[in-house]
Amino acid sequence: MTRVQMTYGGHIRAVALLGFPLVGGHLAQFAIGLTDSMMLGWYGVEALAAVTLAGSYFFTLFLTGAGFGFAVMPLVATANSAGDETSARRATRMGLWLSVLYAVAILPLLWWSEPILLRLGQGEAVSADAARYLRVACWGLVPALLVMVLKSYLAALERTQVVLWVTVLAALANAVANYGLIFGNWGLPEMGIRGAAVASVLTQMVSLVAVVVYVLRALPEQELFRRLWRPDWEMFFRVFRLGVPIGITSLTEVSLFSASALMMGWLGTAPLAAHGIALQLASATFMVHLGLSNAATVRAGNAYGRRDRAHMARGAAVVTVMSLVASALTIALFLLLPGPLMSLFMDPADPEWPQILRIGTGLLAAAALFQLVDGAQVIALGLLRGVQDTGVPMVMATLAYWGVGIPASYVLGFPAGLGGVGIWLGLAAGLGVAGVLLMGRFWRQGLERVDR
């Protein structure tokens, strides 16, 4: 039977309806960390440097565990396209199990972070401040990972509007809590960097309660939490086998940026603070590509479940072009408005502002260079996850990020004497190699998996 193919305009509308709420959700989620950085930047440069280091450390561990949440998305999407509610429910439950087990296992690395940061070459003062933040923030890891699983479940069912609004609610709650606890407003104690951590934990709890209430009220027929305590070992290991490569891929990518933060720390507090601001801005734009990548995973997963290769190929081309358009807009923004963008994060009257602005302007110019390749590699990863291809992409990403990106950052930053700009150019090299390898993998082998 010949299928009627959706037009390219139809694909654009479908990706937009599914992807734009996910983009908004990722931006709102990102706003939680962004609010920490912005308010602590106004609180003091030392606090901004510490939260930059702590945030990179926490985010590295969080994204590794989020691999199980990301694994739930293609499994649920494929099951949903086949009308298999049972498999969708089983995958989500075991994703919740694996997320909790991971969080418990990783907690000591967050609790005893100070000696680890010192061994990585960070200064005593910034390591101590970062550890104070992490000893509080670590209690938000379990709810954060559970929220990731449930959001993936809802996104795979194409209920992306609720993902957006729950995350917006959380971001607003975080901003209010930060304003009160960091500066001591409204009669609350002035807690500085620890106040930002408390606000983040409270925010993760609010997010978890909101999304659980929604699932219980809107999808009672799914019975998602009924007999949640019962093991399902076949699905447990299926999610595990799919999620571990995703987690490792995320680890290698985020550790590329964490390594860059460590190298910037070797250059001093001001370069590290400038790096933190530039990285927050680059990460905000990356959320657009990540949301489109999630949409690509869901739509590829649906096509994979129906064995519709032509539909998948058209959809993949459309989402890639949409990512390229977003990259072009971001490049213009970074090159034309570096000063106004950076002034959002600290007081221009601060004595260190001229130095941080000078460094940050160069970093944003380098960030503009890798917007295209950064978007390409995350879109390719989303498409490959949709066809449940995660093992080889993990190897490709690891080789690109660690075999090319980190060595290039070190060589360009230090022996070549380019400093912070050289470190960021090394990031661009690693992301570029990843983009080429992963896009090639999808168009050569990924589509063939549909036929098999």
Side-chain angles (χ1 to χ4, degrees), residues 364-379:
L364 283 180
L369 292 177
F370 69 62
Q371 288 298 305
L372 292 173
V373 291
D374 200 14
Q377 59 94 25
V378 76
I379 293 295

Side-chain angles (χ1 to χ4, degrees), residues 32-46:
I32 294 172
L34 181 66
T35 303
D36 291 351
S37 295
M38 290 179 66
M39 292 196 180
L40 286 170
W42 286 84
Y43 191 75
V45 173
E46 293 79 9

Side-chain angles (χ1 to χ4, degrees), residues 336-429:
L336 296 176
L337 299 172
L341 290 173
M342 295 190 65
S343 66
L344 297 172
F345 293 84
M346 65 180 296
D347 187 353
D350 192 297
E352 298 196 54
W353 166 249
Q355 181 185 8
I356 291 176
L357 176 62
R358 176 180 58 80
I359 297 170
T361 300
L363 298 183
L364 283 180
L369 292 177
F370 69 62
Q371 288 298 305
L372 292 173
V373 291
D374 200 14
Q377 59 94 25
V378 76
I379 293 295
L381 282 172
L383 292 167
L384 289 165
R385 289 169 187 172
V387 297
Q388 300 178 26
D389 181 12
T390 60
V392 173
M394 173 191 70
V395 175
M396 289 179 169
T398 301
L399 290 174
Y401 303 147
W402 283 81
V404 177
I406 291 178
S409 290
Y410 178 78
V411 170
L412 293 173
F414 297 95
L418 296 179
V421 172
I423 292 171
W424 277 57
L425 291 175
L427 299 179

Side-chain angles (χ1 to χ4, degrees), residues 18-62:
L18 182 62
F20 287 174
L22 291 173
V23 169
H26 283 302
L27 285 170
Q29 181 67 42
F30 170 75
I32 294 172
L34 181 66
T35 303
D36 291 351
S37 295
M38 290 179 66
M39 292 196 180
L40 286 170
W42 286 84
Y43 191 75
V45 173
E46 293 79 9
L48 175 59
V51 82
T52 297
L53 184 62
S56 295
Y57 187 92
F58 182 92
F59 197 57
T60 299
L61 298 175
F62 167 76

Side-chain angles (χ1 to χ4, degrees), residues 241-253:
R241 286 191 298 269
L242 190 61
V244 167
I246 294 176
I248 293 174
T249 301
S250 299
L251 171 63
T252 56
E253 181 178 5

Side-chain angles (χ1 to χ4, degrees), residues 292-314:
L292 292 174
S293 175
N294 292 158
T297 298
V298 174
R299 289 183 57 73
N302 288 337
Y304 184 59
R306 298 192 309 269
R307 297 294 187 262
D308 192 344
R309 175 174 177 158
H311 183 88
M312 183 183 293
R314 281 195 173 199

